[in-house]
Amino acid sequence: MKQNTSQKPQKTPQEASLNIPQQAFDWYDEYAHGDIDRRTFLTRLASLSVAGLTVSAIGGALIPDYAKAEQVSFNDPAIKATYEVFSSPKGHGEGGGYLVQPTSLPESGVAPCVLVVHENRGLNPYIKDVARRLAMQGYVAFAPDALFPLGGYPGNDDDGRAMQKSLDKDKIEQDMVAAALWLKEHEKTTGKLGVVGFCFGGYIANFLAASIPDKLDAAVPFYGTPAKQPLVDQVKGPLLIHFAENDKRVNATWEEYKVVLEKNAAEYEAFTYAKAQHGFHNDSTSRYSPKDAELAWRRTVEFFDSHLK
């Protein structure tokens, strides 16, 4: 990041996070999941006294800045990205998303595939970048947009969150099933299918592991809640599950889910990242934990390589 030497250097989100109290992260989680509105969130921040950080600095550090999230350029010659539409008769009728393929495929002309599922606010730039990262690892990646029936991600998270909340959740789930099956049958894929999801997408990864267990070869939920009863009883795995230590809402669901996985003799491995926040893989906010994100991502790619390649 370039700095203007005539002014006091600005803290990066990661530097700022060192001084942000846990309460602020908890309030942001409430805001990000629609439990409080933006005004309430900022009003609560104003009640904090944090040395060296203003309310605007804290809020700015917590709220995503997607310009920071690009690790793989959409123009990288090693990948090809397109927008695709698929049929979803049990969902909203039709869905759409972002398909990324490696430009250099094996001699067979096909590669394994991974569905990439966004948080509770539509297909934002961070999730597109995750899809590109997977394509760089040799996968055909598809990131569906739950907001496609409403015109797609609107360009800001507040509107995206409201739009996603307005949609029928059951239909969104069926759109994700349709997206997964469309990807599995795509002419450029081997038919080996994985899914990785974050927050709401983590829930969808667990949901797909329960709803299409015989179609899905590997699932990686990042800080996602399990599918509801009785559907959850169908989970078979394999699953690689990532948790953040400072994530009471999601972590409270784990013990009961673990019992189900054990009862089903499902293949799974779960990791909890010490002191990490919900959303620690998202590199556009101060919740991002580079060390934990890199470790979780390495484990994720190795898991997919093991089960899909």
Side-chain angles (χ1 to χ4, degrees):
M1 181 185 297
K2 294 182 179 179
Q3 294 182 346
N4 185 337
T5 56
S6 66
Q7 298 178 351
K8 184 178 180 180
Q10 297 295 307
K11 293 179 183 290
T12 67
Q14 289 72 46
E15 291 170 337
S17 70
L18 298 176
N19 296 325
I20 297 175
Q22 183 60 43
Q23 194 170 30
F25 285 108
D26 294 341
W27 289 337
Y28 178 75
D29 190 67
E30 290 184 60
Y31 162 60
H33 291 91
D35 297 326
I36 59 174
D37 60 22
R38 188 185 186 97
R39 176 175 293 183
T40 301
F41 170 58
L42 294 176
T43 299
R44 288 184 180 181
L45 290 186
S47 69
L48 297 176
S49 176
V50 183
L53 290 176
T54 64
V55 170
S56 61
I58 300 173
L62 289 170
I63 295 171
D65 179 355
Y66 291 121
K68 296 180 174 69
E70 187 175 80
Q71 294 188 22
V72 180
S73 170
F74 66 92
N75 281 324
D76 194 299
I79 60 171
K80 175 185 177 182
T82 58
Y83 291 92
E84 303 293 339
V85 175
F86 58 90
S87 176
S88 180
K90 294 182 180 180
H92 287 95
E94 192 173 63
Y98 184 67
L99 181 71
V100 194
Q101 305 174 51
T103 52
S104 180
L105 291 169
E107 289 185 8
S108 62
V110 294
C113 55
V114 179
L115 193 75
V116 183
V117 189
H118 59 69
E119 306 111 322
N120 65 336
R121 45 197 176 271
L123 181 55
N124 59 52
Y126 154 66
I127 296 297
K128 289 183 177 180
D129 194 66
V130 172
R132 293 194 293 269
R133 296 173 206 175
L134 281 164
M136 295 292 285
Q137 297 294 327
Y139 292 94
V140 176
F142 184 58
D145 189 353
L147 304 185
F148 180 83
L150 300 178
Y153 176 71
N156 72 86
D157 283 3
D158 279 348
D159 288 346
R161 190 179 298 110
M163 290 166 67
Q164 188 160 325
K165 192 173 183 179
S166 75
L167 290 169
D168 184 306
K169 185 177 180 180
D170 291 339
K171 288 188 176 182
I172 292 177
E173 291 173 352
Q174 292 306 313
D175 287 340
M176 296 300 164
V177 171
L181 297 180
W182 174 85
L183 179 60
K184 185 178 180 72
E185 297 168 3
H186 193 280
E187 62 179 5
K188 293 295 184 180
T189 77
T190 62
K192 284 287 189 177
L193 172 67
V195 59
V196 60
F198 306 86
C199 188
F200 167 78
Y203 160 75
I204 290 295
N206 283 319
F207 169 79
L208 292 177
S211 59
I212 53 170
D214 296 326
K215 302 288 187 180
L216 190 66
D217 298 289
V220 183
F222 275 76
Y223 27 84
T225 56
K228 306 298 183 185
Q229 288 285 358
L231 187 63
V232 69
D233 290 328
Q234 298 179 186
V235 173
K236 293 182 179 179
L239 295 103
L240 174 65
I241 306 170
H242 299 298
F243 293 106
E245 183 179 28
N246 294 326
D247 191 3
K248 294 179 181 178
R249 179 181 56 84
V250 171
N251 295 350
T253 67
W254 170 233
E255 287 304 319
E256 187 174 345
Y257 191 26
K258 183 178 179 181
V259 169
V260 173
L261 295 175
E262 297 284 354
K263 181 185 69 175
N264 291 357
E267 180 184 347
Y268 78 91
E269 193 167 13
F271 293 96
T272 298
Y273 297 84
K275 299 182 180 180
Q277 306 290 336
H278 180 95
F280 71 82
H281 185 267
N282 187 330
D283 49 359
S284 68
T285 91
S286 60
R287 298 194 295 177
Y288 176 53
S289 174
K291 181 180 178 181
D292 295 323
E294 290 165 10
L295 176 57
W297 188 247
R298 184 172 73 247
R299 287 169 169 166
T300 296
V301 172
E302 290 173 354
F303 179 75
F304 283 145
D305 287 349
S306 174
H307 292 284
L308 304 181
K309 289 186 177 180

